[in-house]
Structure formats: C-alpha cells, structure tokens
Amino acid sequence: MQVSSLNEVKIYSLSCGKSLPEWLSDRKKRALQKKDVDVRRRIELIQDFEMPTVCTTIKVSKDGQYILATVVTFEILSDDYSKIVFLHNDRYIEFHSQSGFYYKTRIPKFGRDFSYHFPSCDLYFVGASSEVYRLNLEQGRYLNPLQTDAAENNVCDINSVHGLFATGTIEGRVECWDPRTRNRVGLLDCALNSVTADSEINNLPTISALKFNGALTMAVGTSTGQVLLYDLRSDKPLLVKDHQYGLPIKSVHFQDSLDLILSADSRIIKMWNKNSGKIFTSLEPEHDLNDVCLYPNSGMLLTASETPKMGIYYIPVLGPAPRWCSFLDNLTEELEENPESTVYDDYKFVTKKDLENLGLTHLIGSPFLRAYMHGFFMDIRLYHKVKLMVNPFAYEEYRKDKIRQKIEETRAQRVQLKKLPKVNKELALKLIEEEEEKQKSTWKKKVKSLPSILTDDRFKVMFENPDFQVDEESEEFRLLNPLVSKISEKRKKKLRLLEQQELREKEEEEEPEGKPSDAESSESSDDEKAWVEEVRKQRRLLQQEEKVKRQERLKEDQQTVLKPQFYEIKAGEEFRSFKDSATKQKLMNKTLEDRLKIEAKNGTLSVSDTTVGSKQLTFTLKRSEQQKKQQEAEKLHRQERKRLRRSAGHLKSRHKRGRSFH
C-alpha cells in the first residue's frame, strides 16, 4: 500500500504491494509479515482482482454491488448485473441475463462505442462508419440508421435529462441529434477550439471521450490531450485544459459534490475544478491506463490498465469509503505513518521552452517526463547531465552565483540603496550616515532596531516627488536647522557616553568616575547659549534679506509705466465692467498659486508665518452692490420700526387690595 499527496490531497493506492500465494501455510505467512514491511501493510480488498488479459473498460453497477470489466465496452441496463449488453471487437453484440448468455447479433461495421436510450429502448452504435446504427430492444429489430457527416465516429453519449444524443467524430466535431425526430440539432467544431496559443498540434485532433453532466454541461476529450468543457447554449468552450502529454483522453467523469472533472489519458489522471479550472490533484498509476471509473457516492477510484491487474485508489476528500470497506476511514491515520510523497523532491520542473533549449522535446510523452501544470517534471540527475553537455561552463556560473549570494547575505544589514535619489539627496545621505553609525555602535544590541526611512514605502514619495524637496533657503528651515543639528549632536554624544559607561561597567563593578553634575550642567547651558545665538543670527539675516526684497519691489514699481489697454466687446454681449469679465476670465485660466498671489496683492488675502513653520491664510470677502443695498434697506427698516415703537408700561397689572387666597 502506498500513500501519495499532491496539493495536500492524500491518495491511497490499495492495489499495489506484494501479494502472498494461497498455498503458503499460516506460519509462513506470519513469518513473512514480520520480515517484509510491504507484506505487513498489504490490504487485499478484492481477491483475484485481475483479468486474464488486458482490460479496456471498467464500470460499477448502479447498486454498487458489482464491478465489471471487459475488453471493448459494455452497458449495464439494470441496477445489478442481470441485464448487460457487450460489444465485441469482431462486430458481435451479446446480451446476457442473470443466468448467462441470452442472445447474439451483429452490426455491419466494427463498433467502437454505444449508448442506451431508456425512453425508447434503443441502442445507438457508432464505429468505423458514417452511420449510427439503432437497435430497438422492445421490437427486436434494427431501425433506420442516423446519417452523419463524418467518415467515422469514435464515442457517443446520451443526456439522461432530455435524451439528447451526441457522437464524436474523427474530424474533431461533435454532432447532436434529437431521438424524437431523428434530426441533427447541433454541430460543435471542437478541433478548432482545442488549439491554443501555446499548444503544438501535429495532426488533426479527433474526439476520443464524451460525457454529459446535467442538462446543459458537456465535456469533450481530444486525441491530442485537451479537455473542453461546453455549455450547450454556446459553441465556444467554457474551459480548455491540456494534459501536456499529447496523449488521447481515455475517459471523462464528473464529481458533483466537489464540482470536479476527472480526465484521464494513458499516463495520468487529473482532477480539476469545472468552474475555475484549477488543478485539485492528480494521480500517476504504475501502468498505462485504459479506463477510469468512480465508485458511486464514495471516494474510491477504479482503473483498468494495460496489465491484467486493475487498480483501486481511495481519496477521502472525494467521499467516504464504500459500505463494504468502511474500515478504510479508520485506517487513514495508520496509513499516513510512512507516506510516499509525489511532490518530486528529486525532480526538476521544466517548461516547453526549457526543453527546447536543452534539445529534449522528443522526450514528451515518455516516462522521463511527467506532465504537471504548464510544464513537466524530469529527473534532477538527467537534467544536470544534459545541462552540462549543453553548457560546459554551467558549473562556473553556478559557483559565481553562490559567491554572489554569500556577499549579498553579508550586506543584508546594510541600507539597500544603490544610489542617492533625485530628490532630497542631502537628507538621504544624512540618513545613511546615521544608519551606519548605529550599525557600528555596540549599543545597538540593547536598542530595538527601527526601520529606516529610506526603506519604508510610506516615505518613498519624499525621495521621488520634487514637491517634497526641502528648501534650505526658506525661513522655517533656517530657523529650525540649528535646533535639528544640535539635537543630532546631543544624540551622538549621548550614544558615546552610554558606550563608554558600558565598557567601564565591564571592567570594574565600582561606581564609574565621570564629570560632576555642575560640569554637565555648565556644558548643557553652554550648548543652549550657542543655539540661541545661532537662532538670533539667522533671524537677523532673514530680516535684512526681507528688507532688501521690499526695496527691490518698490524700485520696480516706480519704474513700471502703465499703458492703456483697449478691449472689444463681442456681438450680442452687454458691457458691464472690465472687473467682472476680463479679470474673472484671467483668474479662471490661472493656477491656484497665482490666484493666491493676486488676492494677497489686492488685500483680500494675508499670509503670515507661525513660530513652528506653518502658514496662516486669512481671506476678506468683498460685498457686491446688491448685498450693500440690501443691508442698507434692512438698516433703514430697523430705524423706522424703532421710531414707531410704543411703550407697553400701561399694561402692567396694578396691585389689588385684599388678602391673598391661601
């Protein structure tokens, strides 16, 4: 017994391993089980589960009690094995009942597949002919055949919901017929749709597998290894999956509980989601496959191969074990003790382009390559041998890559910056120097490392967008720069003091000697005085520069000579004023920055600086003539009401005589 796993889906092979002959004694069997692990782990579900010769077709009865296998094909007409129809390779058709052979007849041409239409009791045979032969089991005679446009037909199937009959031709087409009217109702050109941009087709794809699911879904397999999923309402496939081996698709099945499609060729069984096309898992048996069958309502998979022995596989995620071997569900943990992984640790994944570069395209379809997703797995030893033959200097390149990786690992703790950015180069250089100082320091072991601004995505715009360029000539920067530089110097000085203190603590356990408190305070006071002097110096320079700028603007205003400008009014427009038309039109064409400058010049906007470097903007709204008239009218109205107002003192209640009521 073997356990394989792909995409975290475990598959248990229940037909592999060594079997013991029946003539051995019980004592000898127990001795072999103790010595041989494969014999001890062997589980024989079905005795003598093999054919005398090669098996091509395998099916399970509807009640799940019987498994049948033949050379060509057959159809089970009842729920059990009491009514079976066999198609032989010599054109004969045999009917078997529960007691055995019942009747035998012959069709004109060699048959390849047939289907049974339950409502009309008709058998539809397809084969090496353009005609589809019909045999009515109720009347016991042949009916008029269906004439197709194909030279030969390979496979056929009947939809169990509405009875649509479909046949796959050697020209790569699917013809659909209505059994009620015996007319063709549809034609699909699957050969053209199976050719994709990355597929290499050497011959015409023929239809090798066909299966309906529900009323509207149909899966088609081609002889070049593609599986097409169709909706009967469209002539374009929903999905196209390639097995990558270029081998004919042997069979296609639907697993409804997980929305899976099982497609098999002679080398591999692939299970993929019919909605997304994502590979669920795959299975590669030891021998070439001929047919695959799903046990009803369970996770068991049966295979017929080119050898007499047939395969049994159990996949728990597809469903429970059949009722006659329900103990498998309890043995899954025990079976996982010695799993055999098929993730191919000793294999190299290569694509078709890699195979072309290595000159190994002729190995596609051979045992040396295992198809997987969009490429193949090949033995890593074979890959290295071919790689060395194609490129003798591959080892030197590999050695250089390893050395380069080692060097990059040593640089992992450094700031990963190849060159200075275009924006804020001075700031970036300062941050790099600070980062190098931290790395050289021994105190960094006790301080939690923080991410650098240069490597943080949140601040990358500051080194890319020119709008974030630091203006060192601005008033804010010049006033804050002494403080920033002094803080960085204090930080470095504190870091050096901590390092010295750490070294002294290691050398002696006594109290370290240092500067007295008054010396430290005097030093800090000197630093504060130097910073204050620097700030005052920068402020005086800023005042002088501002004074010079005002004098230059005044001089330019005096030299400016105003000239009259003339404007022409367009036809159909009423002249109001230049302020309402020309000025507004100019303002609309200017940017927000230019508008603010104009407003500040007119006096409606004032901009002032704060001590922390921010800006304050104050707007003064102008009143229109209509608003002024309305305010003046309201003022006159209030004055008029005030003059007409009368006193209400006579309405006060007089004091009544008498005692109050209690």
Side-chain angles (χ1 to χ4, degrees), residues 113-116 124-126 132 153-158 165-168 209-212:
D113 195 11
F114 73 97
S115 298
Y116 180 62
Y124 289 79
F125 296 92
V126 297
V132 178
N153 295 277
N154 293 331
V155 291
C156 63
D157 192 24
I158 293 179
F165 172 76
T167 175
L210 184 64
K211 192 70 174 179
F212 281 107

Side-chain angles (χ1 to χ4, degrees), residues 134-228:
R134 296 190 301 150
L135 176 60
N136 187 272
L137 300 185
E138 184 180 8
Q139 302 177 17
R141 65 184 182 91
Y142 284 98
L143 304 178
N144 294 330
L146 304 178
Q147 183 63 46
T148 65
D149 294 339
E152 295 179 0
N153 295 277
N154 293 331
V155 291
C156 63
D157 192 24
I158 293 179
N159 194 298
S160 59
V161 178
H162 46 66
L164 184 68
F165 172 76
T167 175
T169 68
I170 63 171
E171 291 86 3
R173 297 176 180 176
V174 174
E175 296 189 13
C176 299
W177 296 74
D178 189 351
R180 298 171 297 181
T181 60
R182 299 189 301 276
N183 293 326
R184 191 176 69 185
V185 295
L187 181 65
L188 289 175
D189 191 352
C190 302
L192 182 61
N193 294 326
S194 64
V195 179
T196 58
D198 56 347
S199 61
E200 298 180 1
I201 305 299
N202 298 324
N203 50 13
L204 180 65
T206 62
I207 307 301
S208 58
L210 184 64
K211 192 70 174 179
F212 281 107
N213 181 41
L216 300 175
T217 307
M218 180 181 65
V220 179
T222 64
S223 60
T224 53
Q226 290 84 27
V227 181
L228 297 86

Side-chain angles (χ1 to χ4, degrees), residues 464-596:
E464 296 176 356
N465 193 344
D467 294 339
F468 291 91
Q469 176 66 44
V470 177
D471 187 7
E472 298 183 358
E473 299 297 329
S474 63
E475 179 181 353
E476 295 82 4
F477 181 82
R478 293 173 64 178
L479 292 177
L480 293 176
N481 190 38
L483 177 62
V484 175
S485 59
K486 188 59 62 179
I487 290 174
S488 61
E489 291 178 2
K490 287 185 177 180
R491 189 187 304 111
K492 293 179 181 178
K493 187 180 295 183
K494 184 178 181 181
L495 190 61
R496 289 194 296 268
L497 291 175
L498 292 174
E499 292 177 357
Q500 295 175 3
Q501 184 178 357
E502 183 182 11
L503 293 174
R504 286 195 296 268
E505 288 178 355
K506 290 181 179 179
E507 293 176 357
E508 55 183 359
E509 298 180 357
E510 299 178 358
E511 183 178 355
E513 296 180 359
K515 293 183 179 181
S517 60
D518 56 351
E520 294 179 359
S521 61
S522 62
E523 184 180 357
S524 62
S525 61
D526 293 339
D527 294 339
E528 292 177 359
K529 291 179 181 178
W531 172 72
V532 171
E533 290 296 331
E534 183 66 23
V535 173
R536 289 177 179 174
K537 180 181 177 181
Q538 294 293 334
R539 188 172 292 278
R540 286 195 298 270
L541 291 175
L542 289 172
Q543 291 176 355
Q544 292 176 3
E545 292 176 0
E546 184 65 25
K547 184 177 180 182
V548 172
K549 289 180 181 179
R550 286 198 301 269
Q551 292 177 357
E552 291 178 355
R553 288 197 298 268
L554 181 61
K555 188 176 181 181
E556 291 177 358
D557 294 341
Q558 292 176 355
Q559 294 177 356
T560 303
V561 179
L562 299 178
K563 296 181 179 180
Q565 296 181 357
F566 299 94
Y567 298 92
E568 182 179 358
I569 302 176
K570 295 182 179 180
E573 293 186 359
E574 181 181 357
F575 173 75
R576 295 181 180 178
S577 65
F578 287 107
K579 291 184 180 180
D580 295 338
S581 58
T583 305
K584 290 183 180 180
Q585 185 65 29
K586 289 182 179 180
L587 286 176
M588 291 300 295
N589 297 331
K590 292 184 179 295
T591 61
L592 178 61
E593 182 181 3
D594 296 336
R595 295 182 193 177
L596 293 176

Side-chain angles (χ1 to χ4, degrees), residues 92-106:
Y92 276 100
I93 303 169
E94 283 191 8
F95 295 87
H96 284 244
S97 63
Q98 190 171 2
S99 59
F101 173 76
Y102 179 77
Y103 184 73
K104 188 176 183 180
T105 184
R106 202 173 189 182

Side-chain angles (χ1 to χ4, degrees), residues 234-414:
S234 174
D235 59 349
K236 302 297 181 182
L238 302 176
L239 287 174
V240 178
K241 298 295 293 184
D242 196 340
H243 275 219
Q244 301 290 339
Y245 280 122
L247 300 174
I249 302 299
K250 296 284 187 172
S251 61
V252 179
H253 297 278
F254 288 88
Q255 211 280 342
D256 295 329
S257 61
L258 297 178
D259 289 335
L260 296 180
I261 296 179
L262 279 71
S263 55
D265 56 21
S266 60
R267 290 290 307 280
I268 191 172
I269 303 172
K270 288 194 175 183
M271 309 173 196
W272 43 282
N273 189 280
K274 69 178 183 180
N275 297 321
S276 62
K278 184 179 180 181
I279 294 294
F280 180 71
T281 187
S282 61
L283 171 64
E284 293 191 27
E286 299 177 355
H287 308 287
D288 290 346
L289 293 171
N290 285 331
D291 193 15
V292 177
C293 172
L294 273 174
Y295 198 92
N297 303 321
S298 71
M300 181 169 287
L301 196 67
L302 306 174
T303 61
S305 62
E306 288 292 334
T307 60
K309 191 174 183 180
M310 290 173 282
I312 304 176
Y313 299 91
Y314 177 49
I315 311 175
V317 292
L318 291 178
R323 186 171 53 184
W324 53 272
C325 58
S326 59
F327 59 88
L328 290 177
D329 292 331
N330 301 325
L331 294 177
T332 54
E333 296 181 0
E334 181 180 350
L335 297 176
E336 293 175 2
E337 293 180 358
N338 298 315
E340 180 181 346
S341 177
T342 58
V343 185
Y344 311 126
D345 297 331
D346 298 331
Y347 284 75
K348 172 70 175 179
F349 180 80
V350 292
T351 60
K352 285 187 177 181
K353 187 176 181 181
D354 297 334
L355 293 176
E356 292 176 358
N357 296 333
L358 297 175
L360 299 177
T361 54
H362 62 282
L363 295 180
I364 296 177
S366 66
F368 296 100
L369 296 177
R370 299 186 180 184
Y372 181 75
M373 296 180 68
H374 62 283
F376 305 88
F377 275 112
M378 66 180 300
D379 193 284
I380 190 68
R381 295 169 295 180
L382 176 61
Y383 175 79
H384 286 316
K385 288 182 180 179
V386 178
K387 186 76 173 178
L388 186 61
M389 293 174 62
V390 174
N391 187 7
F393 303 100
Y395 176 75
E396 292 296 330
E397 296 178 359
Y398 172 78
R399 182 172 173 271
K400 292 180 181 179
D401 291 338
K402 282 294 182 183
I403 295 174
R404 192 180 299 108
Q405 291 178 5
K406 291 292 183 182
I407 295 175
E408 293 296 333
E409 289 178 359
T410 58
R411 296 176 177 175
Q413 300 298 328
R414 302 181 185 179

